PDB file of all heavy atoms in Angstrom:
ATOM      1  N   ARG A  13      -5.823 -18.491  32.282  1.00  0.00           N
ATOM      2  CA  ARG A  13      -5.321 -17.943  31.018  1.00  0.00           C
ATOM      3  C   ARG A  13      -5.310 -16.426  31.042  1.00  0.00           C
ATOM      4  O   ARG A  13      -4.338 -15.789  30.606  1.00  0.00           O
ATOM      5  CB  ARG A  13      -6.174 -18.447  29.850  1.00  0.00           C
ATOM      6  CG  ARG A  13      -5.966 -19.914  29.532  1.00  0.00           C
ATOM      7  CD  ARG A  13      -6.972 -20.390  28.515  1.00  0.00           C
ATOM      8  NE  ARG A  13      -6.906 -21.833  28.319  1.00  0.00           N
ATOM      9  CZ  ARG A  13      -7.811 -22.544  27.672  1.00  0.00           C
ATOM     10  NH1 ARG A  13      -8.861 -21.940  27.143  1.00  0.00           N
ATOM     11  NH2 ARG A  13      -7.678 -23.852  27.530  1.00  0.00           N
ATOM     12  N   TRP A  14      -6.387 -15.843  31.573  1.00  0.00           N
ATOM     13  CA  TRP A  14      -6.467 -14.378  31.621  1.00  0.00           C
ATOM     14  C   TRP A  14      -5.418 -13.805  32.580  1.00  0.00           C
ATOM     15  O   TRP A  14      -4.820 -12.753  32.315  1.00  0.00           O
ATOM     16  CB  TRP A  14      -7.869 -13.930  32.028  1.00  0.00           C
ATOM     17  CG  TRP A  14      -8.815 -13.855  30.875  1.00  0.00           C
ATOM     18  CD1 TRP A  14      -9.878 -14.656  30.614  1.00  0.00           C
ATOM     19  CD2 TRP A  14      -8.754 -12.912  29.800  1.00  0.00           C
ATOM     20  NE1 TRP A  14     -10.481 -14.290  29.442  1.00  0.00           N
ATOM     21  CE2 TRP A  14      -9.829 -13.216  28.929  1.00  0.00           C
ATOM     22  CE3 TRP A  14      -7.912 -11.852  29.488  1.00  0.00           C
ATOM     23  CZ2 TRP A  14     -10.065 -12.488  27.765  1.00  0.00           C
ATOM     24  CZ3 TRP A  14      -8.145 -11.133  28.326  1.00  0.00           C
ATOM     25  CH2 TRP A  14      -9.212 -11.451  27.487  1.00  0.00           C
ATOM     26  N   ILE A  15      -5.178 -14.493  33.687  1.00  0.00           N
ATOM     27  CA  ILE A  15      -4.148 -14.042  34.634  1.00  0.00           C
ATOM     28  C   ILE A  15      -2.780 -14.058  33.965  1.00  0.00           C
ATOM     29  O   ILE A  15      -1.985 -13.118  34.105  1.00  0.00           O
ATOM     30  CB  ILE A  15      -4.159 -14.925  35.900  1.00  0.00           C
ATOM     31  CG1 ILE A  15      -5.438 -14.657  36.714  1.00  0.00           C
ATOM     32  CG2 ILE A  15      -2.919 -14.656  36.751  1.00  0.00           C
ATOM     33  CD1 ILE A  15      -5.620 -15.588  37.893  1.00  0.00           C
ATOM     34  N   ILE A  16      -2.493 -15.140  33.211  1.00  0.00           N
ATOM     35  CA  ILE A  16      -1.212 -15.254  32.506  1.00  0.00           C
ATOM     36  C   ILE A  16      -1.081 -14.148  31.465  1.00  0.00           C
ATOM     37  O   ILE A  16      -0.021 -13.510  31.334  1.00  0.00           O
ATOM     38  CB  ILE A  16      -1.086 -16.642  31.848  1.00  0.00           C
ATOM     39  CG1 ILE A  16      -0.974 -17.724  32.929  1.00  0.00           C
ATOM     40  CG2 ILE A  16       0.123 -16.691  30.925  1.00  0.00           C
ATOM     41  CD1 ILE A  16      -1.019 -19.133  32.384  1.00  0.00           C
ATOM     42  N   ILE A  17      -2.159 -13.894  30.714  1.00  0.00           N
ATOM     43  CA  ILE A  17      -2.125 -12.862  29.670  1.00  0.00           C
ATOM     44  C   ILE A  17      -1.895 -11.481  30.277  1.00  0.00           C
ATOM     45  O   ILE A  17      -1.052 -10.709  29.806  1.00  0.00           O
ATOM     46  CB  ILE A  17      -3.437 -12.888  28.857  1.00  0.00           C
ATOM     47  CG1 ILE A  17      -3.519 -14.170  28.005  1.00  0.00           C
ATOM     48  CG2 ILE A  17      -3.540 -11.659  27.952  1.00  0.00           C
ATOM     49  CD1 ILE A  17      -4.857 -14.380  27.338  1.00  0.00           C
ATOM     50  N   VAL A  18      -2.652 -11.152  31.337  1.00  0.00           N
ATOM     51  CA  VAL A  18      -2.521  -9.836  31.974  1.00  0.00           C
ATOM     52  C   VAL A  18      -1.133  -9.672  32.599  1.00  0.00           C
ATOM     53  O   VAL A  18      -0.488  -8.617  32.461  1.00  0.00           O
ATOM     54  CB  VAL A  18      -3.620  -9.650  33.046  1.00  0.00           C
ATOM     55  CG1 VAL A  18      -3.370  -8.380  33.857  1.00  0.00           C
ATOM     56  CG2 VAL A  18      -4.994  -9.590  32.386  1.00  0.00           C
ATOM     57  N   THR A  19      -0.644 -10.736  33.269  1.00  0.00           N
ATOM     58  CA  THR A  19       0.697 -10.685  33.880  1.00  0.00           C
ATOM     59  C   THR A  19       1.771 -10.478  32.817  1.00  0.00           C
ATOM     60  O   THR A  19       2.703  -9.678  32.995  1.00  0.00           O
ATOM     61  CB  THR A  19       0.973 -11.979  34.661  1.00  0.00           C
ATOM     62  OG1 THR A  19      -0.053 -12.176  35.643  1.00  0.00           O
ATOM     63  CG2 THR A  19       2.329 -11.901  35.360  1.00  0.00           C
ATOM     64  N   SER A  20       1.654 -11.210  31.706  1.00  0.00           N
ATOM     65  CA  SER A  20       2.614 -11.074  30.613  1.00  0.00           C
ATOM     66  C   SER A  20       2.593  -9.655  30.046  1.00  0.00           C
ATOM     67  O   SER A  20       3.644  -9.066  29.760  1.00  0.00           O
ATOM     68  CB  SER A  20       2.306 -12.083  29.505  1.00  0.00           C
ATOM     69  OG  SER A  20       2.353 -13.398  29.996  1.00  0.00           O
ATOM     70  N   PHE A  21       1.388  -9.102  29.896  1.00  0.00           N
ATOM     71  CA  PHE A  21       1.262  -7.729  29.384  1.00  0.00           C
ATOM     72  C   PHE A  21       1.922  -6.726  30.323  1.00  0.00           C
ATOM     73  O   PHE A  21       2.627  -5.803  29.874  1.00  0.00           O
ATOM     74  CB  PHE A  21      -0.217  -7.390  29.203  1.00  0.00           C
ATOM     75  CG  PHE A  21      -0.466  -5.999  28.695  1.00  0.00           C
ATOM     76  CD1 PHE A  21      -0.293  -5.683  27.351  1.00  0.00           C
ATOM     77  CD2 PHE A  21      -0.852  -4.988  29.563  1.00  0.00           C
ATOM     78  CE1 PHE A  21      -0.507  -4.405  26.887  1.00  0.00           C
ATOM     79  CE2 PHE A  21      -1.065  -3.697  29.113  1.00  0.00           C
ATOM     80  CZ  PHE A  21      -0.890  -3.399  27.765  1.00  0.00           C
ATOM     81  N   ILE A  22       1.742  -6.915  31.652  1.00  0.00           N
ATOM     82  CA  ILE A  22       2.353  -5.999  32.635  1.00  0.00           C
ATOM     83  C   ILE A  22       3.874  -6.104  32.579  1.00  0.00           C
ATOM     84  O   ILE A  22       4.580  -5.086  32.595  1.00  0.00           O
ATOM     85  CB  ILE A  22       1.826  -6.323  34.050  1.00  0.00           C
ATOM     86  CG1 ILE A  22       0.326  -5.970  34.151  1.00  0.00           C
ATOM     87  CG2 ILE A  22       2.623  -5.555  35.105  1.00  0.00           C
ATOM     88  CD1 ILE A  22      -0.315  -6.397  35.457  1.00  0.00           C
ATOM     89  N   ILE A  23       4.386  -7.337  32.487  1.00  0.00           N
ATOM     90  CA  ILE A  23       5.846  -7.537  32.439  1.00  0.00           C
ATOM     91  C   ILE A  23       6.434  -6.894  31.190  1.00  0.00           C
ATOM     92  O   ILE A  23       7.468  -6.208  31.241  1.00  0.00           O
ATOM     93  CB  ILE A  23       6.179  -9.043  32.488  1.00  0.00           C
ATOM     94  CG1 ILE A  23       5.809  -9.617  33.869  1.00  0.00           C
ATOM     95  CG2 ILE A  23       7.659  -9.281  32.186  1.00  0.00           C
ATOM     96  CD1 ILE A  23       5.936 -11.119  33.950  1.00  0.00           C
ATOM     97  N   ILE A  24       5.771  -7.106  30.060  1.00  0.00           N
ATOM     98  CA  ILE A  24       6.245  -6.521  28.798  1.00  0.00           C
ATOM     99  C   ILE A  24       6.224  -4.996  28.880  1.00  0.00           C
ATOM    100  O   ILE A  24       7.166  -4.322  28.441  1.00  0.00           O
ATOM    101  CB  ILE A  24       5.373  -7.004  27.628  1.00  0.00           C
ATOM    102  CG1 ILE A  24       5.592  -8.508  27.399  1.00  0.00           C
ATOM    103  CG2 ILE A  24       5.698  -6.244  26.345  1.00  0.00           C
ATOM    104  CD1 ILE A  24       4.603  -9.128  26.441  1.00  0.00           C
ATOM    105  N   SER A  25       5.154  -4.452  29.448  1.00  0.00           N
ATOM    106  CA  SER A  25       5.048  -2.994  29.581  1.00  0.00           C
ATOM    107  C   SER A  25       6.162  -2.437  30.464  1.00  0.00           C
ATOM    108  O   SER A  25       6.757  -1.397  30.153  1.00  0.00           O
ATOM    109  CB  SER A  25       3.681  -2.617  30.173  1.00  0.00           C
ATOM    110  OG  SER A  25       2.632  -3.061  29.336  1.00  0.00           O
ATOM    111  N   LEU A  26       6.470  -3.145  31.570  1.00  0.00           N
ATOM    112  CA  LEU A  26       7.536  -2.693  32.458  1.00  0.00           C
ATOM    113  C   LEU A  26       8.900  -2.739  31.763  1.00  0.00           C
ATOM    114  O   LEU A  26       9.724  -1.827  31.915  1.00  0.00           O
ATOM    115  CB  LEU A  26       7.570  -3.558  33.729  1.00  0.00           C
ATOM    116  CG  LEU A  26       6.406  -3.352  34.714  1.00  0.00           C
ATOM    117  CD1 LEU A  26       6.473  -4.371  35.839  1.00  0.00           C
ATOM    118  CD2 LEU A  26       6.421  -1.932  35.278  1.00  0.00           C
ATOM    119  N   ILE A  27       9.140  -3.801  30.996  1.00  0.00           N
ATOM    120  CA  ILE A  27      10.413  -3.917  30.272  1.00  0.00           C
ATOM    121  C   ILE A  27      10.554  -2.777  29.258  1.00  0.00           C
ATOM    122  O   ILE A  27      11.604  -2.131  29.164  1.00  0.00           O
ATOM    123  CB  ILE A  27      10.510  -5.285  29.571  1.00  0.00           C
ATOM    124  CG1 ILE A  27      10.630  -6.403  30.613  1.00  0.00           C
ATOM    125  CG2 ILE A  27      11.703  -5.323  28.617  1.00  0.00           C
ATOM    126  CD1 ILE A  27      10.564  -7.791  30.030  1.00  0.00           C
ATOM    127  N   LEU A  28       9.484  -2.513  28.516  1.00  0.00           N
ATOM    128  CA  LEU A  28       9.521  -1.449  27.513  1.00  0.00           C
ATOM    129  C   LEU A  28       9.687  -0.081  28.174  1.00  0.00           C
ATOM    130  O   LEU A  28      10.430   0.780  27.671  1.00  0.00           O
ATOM    131  CB  LEU A  28       8.247  -1.481  26.665  1.00  0.00           C
ATOM    132  CG  LEU A  28       8.081  -2.703  25.763  1.00  0.00           C
ATOM    133  CD1 LEU A  28       6.733  -2.646  25.038  1.00  0.00           C
ATOM    134  CD2 LEU A  28       9.204  -2.775  24.738  1.00  0.00           C
ATOM    135  N   TRP A  29       9.012   0.127  29.304  1.00  0.00           N
ATOM    136  CA  TRP A  29       9.130   1.407  30.002  1.00  0.00           C
ATOM    137  C   TRP A  29      10.548   1.618  30.537  1.00  0.00           C
ATOM    138  O   TRP A  29      11.127   2.700  30.388  1.00  0.00           O
ATOM    139  CB  TRP A  29       8.123   1.485  31.145  1.00  0.00           C
ATOM    140  CG  TRP A  29       8.313   2.685  32.030  1.00  0.00           C
ATOM    141  CD1 TRP A  29       8.801   2.726  33.302  1.00  0.00           C
ATOM    142  CD2 TRP A  29       8.038   4.045  31.678  1.00  0.00           C
ATOM    143  NE1 TRP A  29       8.845   4.000  33.771  1.00  0.00           N
ATOM    144  CE2 TRP A  29       8.381   4.850  32.792  1.00  0.00           C
ATOM    145  CE3 TRP A  29       7.539   4.672  30.536  1.00  0.00           C
ATOM    146  CZ2 TRP A  29       8.241   6.225  32.794  1.00  0.00           C
ATOM    147  CZ3 TRP A  29       7.392   6.050  30.542  1.00  0.00           C
ATOM    148  CH2 TRP A  29       7.740   6.810  31.652  1.00  0.00           C
ATOM    149  N   ASN A  30      11.123   0.572  31.139  1.00  0.00           N
ATOM    150  CA  ASN A  30      12.492   0.681  31.646  1.00  0.00           C
ATOM    151  C   ASN A  30      13.482   0.906  30.510  1.00  0.00           C
ATOM    152  O   ASN A  30      14.463   1.653  30.669  1.00  0.00           O
ATOM    153  CB  ASN A  30      12.869  -0.594  32.412  1.00  0.00           C
ATOM    154  CG  ASN A  30      12.213  -0.646  33.786  1.00  0.00           C
ATOM    155  OD1 ASN A  30      11.978   0.384  34.405  1.00  0.00           O
ATOM    156  ND2 ASN A  30      11.888  -1.836  34.254  1.00  0.00           N
ATOM    157  N   THR A  31      13.239   0.271  29.370  1.00  0.00           N
ATOM    158  CA  THR A  31      14.111   0.487  28.211  1.00  0.00           C
ATOM    159  C   THR A  31      14.006   1.935  27.728  1.00  0.00           C
ATOM    160  O   THR A  31      15.017   2.568  27.390  1.00  0.00           O
ATOM    161  CB  THR A  31      13.711  -0.456  27.067  1.00  0.00           C
ATOM    162  OG1 THR A  31      13.776  -1.802  27.531  1.00  0.00           O
ATOM    163  CG2 THR A  31      14.636  -0.298  25.873  1.00  0.00           C
TER     164      THR A  31
END
Side-chain angles (χ1 to χ4, degrees):
R13 288 172 187 168
W14 275 111
I15 290 173
I16 293 173
I17 291 171
V18 172
T19 303
S20 301
F21 179 78
I22 292 174
I23 292 173
I24 292 170
S25 300
L26 289 174
I27 292 173
L28 293 177
W29 172 252
N30 285 329
T31 303

